[in-house]
Amino acid sequence: MASHGLTYDGCNFFRQRLVLSTLSGKRVKIKNIRSKDDDPGLRDFEASFIRLLDKVTNGSRIEINQTGTVLFYQPGLLHGGPIEHDCNMQRSIGYYLEALLMLAPFMKTSVKATLRGVTNDPSDPTVDMLKSTALPVMKQFGIDGEGFELKMANRIVEAARGVLNQFIPDIYIHTDHMKGPNSGKSPGFGLTLVAETLNGSFLSAEMASTPQGQGDPILPEDLGRSCAKLLLEEVYRGGCVDSSNQSLALLLMTLGQQDVSKVLLGPLSPYTIEFLRHIRDFFQIMFKIEVQKSSEDSRKGGDKILMTCVGVGYSNINKTIK
């Protein structure tokens, strides 16, 4: 590793690299950001994410070259406190909030963030999903957070029930219907489903309607059925954490006490595999990975993966500064 910190190529896994840089205190340089594109450099949503990092830290040094194809980031100290941020409309609030949840436990003072923007897009978790699954994961690690209320719409509900009631009778789906200007800048509909296991784990799936003018429109009934099947897929994959929260759990294990931590997961997502590589880069931590084959009984779900590591004993240096 070079003395000036870590260097990466390209825009992939942009948030992972900046979040882990902030937590480890290691400088990072990201070059060749879309350098071969007709429109090279950082996108507006990535620049907005950098501004958010700047708001929750003190003394960060950020340098971007003229074309936006090279970023140098020297992290400051996480200070938290009240912040307001207008999230860029290219990505939903979940894109920003997901990273903020990873940083929030390690700030000098509790962060009170007001994020404004669109509530869902096809590629990022909604606030509802993070409230229902990420916060319980954090509570398992002794980190408590205030919840959000989960609400949603009727034609979708009946279609989702049609699939899920074949397996379990007690299903509760809340609806929240807004008209006109109250629906914000992203009119449409979406559904977040959460399954709670007997031992208190939460598995989730969600879908949102296609934004107007972007691809084929989707019927609410089809969305409800498809989302219910996605949830069943998560249940089949199994593990203590669903695929969208694997990296959060592995990060908290990495930063935990200098003791052995174990978590049982379903198959690792490509995003999680890259996250493990970055954890090795920034914290020199490698996980032991053991595949546990599923039994012949298909009701037990698919193969599971037992992840084991010894934490770095991360101390929140930001807390000690008066």
Side-chain angles (χ1 to χ4, degrees):
M1 188 177 70
S3 59
H4 61 268
L6 292 157
T7 302
Y8 291 104
D9 249 32
C11 61
N12 286 344
F13 310 104
F14 185 77
R15 286 180 307 161
Q16 287 189 16
R17 291 163 179 172
L18 295 185
V19 164
L20 293 174
S21 165
T22 306
L23 288 169
S24 65
K26 287 191 173 134
R27 293 172 285 179
V28 69
K29 182 180 183 181
I30 302 174
K31 55 191 178 66
N32 295 323
I33 300 170
R34 302 186 184 90
S35 50
K36 291 188 170 66
D37 278 27
D38 292 339
D39 179 20
L42 292 166
R43 296 287 175 257
D44 290 345
F45 69 88
E46 291 161 332
S48 178
F49 180 71
I50 294 166
R51 286 194 295 275
L52 177 62
L53 283 182
D54 199 34
K55 285 177 184 177
V56 296
T57 56
N58 260 343
S60 287
R61 190 171 136 225
I62 300 157
E63 295 173 10
I64 301 168
N65 72 343
Q66 205 165 3
T67 55
T69 55
V70 179
L71 165 72
F72 173 79
Y73 175 67
Q74 182 169 323
L77 296 173
L78 283 161
H79 68 81
I83 62 154
E84 294 195 11
H85 189 66
D86 291 320
C87 302
N88 182 269
M89 300 297 181
Q90 291 171 345
R91 298 293 286 262
S92 75
I93 287 173
Y95 173 83
Y96 304 87
L97 186 57
E98 204 173 21
L100 207 50
L101 286 176
M102 289 184 164
L103 298 171
F106 309 104
M107 305 217 180
K108 182 179 178 182
T109 56
S110 297
V111 66
K112 294 180 177 65
T114 304
L115 303 178
R116 299 184 196 89
V118 295
T119 51
N120 25 355
D121 66 24
S123 49
D124 298 305
T126 60
V127 175
D128 292 328
M129 187 174 186
L130 291 170
K131 173 257 173 181
S132 305
T133 58
L135 293 185
V137 168
M138 295 172 84
K139 284 179 182 175
Q140 296 277 5
F141 287 86
I143 302 161
D144 221 333
E146 290 178 20
F148 306 88
E149 199 173 343
L150 174 63
K151 295 182 171 179
M152 268 157 277
N154 292 319
R155 286 166 66 190
I156 304 171
V157 169
E158 294 311 312
R161 279 189 189 287
V163 175
L164 298 176
N165 276 139
Q166 297 172 45
F167 300 94
I168 189 169
D170 52 338
I171 292 166
Y172 305 95
I173 304 178
H174 307 279
T175 61
D176 181 18
H177 181 58
M178 291 190 176
K179 288 185 176 177
N182 292 332
S183 66
K185 293 186 170 69
S186 58
F189 49 87
L191 174 65
T192 301
L193 295 173
V194 181
E196 182 177 4
T197 68
L198 292 173
N199 60 6
S201 294
F202 294 85
L203 308 171
S204 70
E206 64 182 4
M207 285 189 79
S209 60
T210 324
Q212 219 166 359
Q214 295 180 24
D216 297 330
I218 184 170
L219 288 171
E221 290 83 356
D222 291 340
L223 184 138
R225 278 189 290 272
S226 299
C227 190
K229 288 172 183 173
L230 280 180
L231 180 66
L232 294 176
E233 173 69 21
E234 281 292 347
V235 171
Y236 180 80
R237 290 165 65 96
C240 301
V241 180
D242 62 18
S243 49
S244 66
N245 287 292
Q246 288 175 345
S247 53
L248 175 62
L250 296 174
L251 173 69
L252 295 173
M253 286 168 67
T254 298
L255 300 179
Q257 296 173 355
Q258 289 176 310
D259 202 350
V260 176
S261 294
K262 296 187 177 191
V263 68
L264 191 66
L265 302 176
L268 301 180
S269 72
Y271 187 86
T272 302
I273 291 167
E274 201 61 38
F275 196 78
L276 287 168
R277 291 180 179 133
H278 285 123
I279 282 176
R280 181 189 59 199
D281 289 350
F282 285 95
F283 290 101
Q284 288 75 56
I285 288 287
M286 292 182 72
F287 281 74
K288 181 181 177 189
I289 301 174
E290 298 171 85
V291 178
Q292 301 195 338
K293 288 285 181 190
S294 62
S295 62
E296 295 300 311
D297 185 353
S298 64
R299 288 175 302 175
K300 298 287 186 190
D303 294 349
K304 306 290 183 291
I305 295 176
L306 184 66
M307 305 288 292
T308 308
C309 80
V310 175
V312 296
Y314 187 84
S315 59
N316 188 357
I317 57 166
N318 306 296
K319 286 277 187 195
T320 61
I321 298 169
K322 297 296 179 194

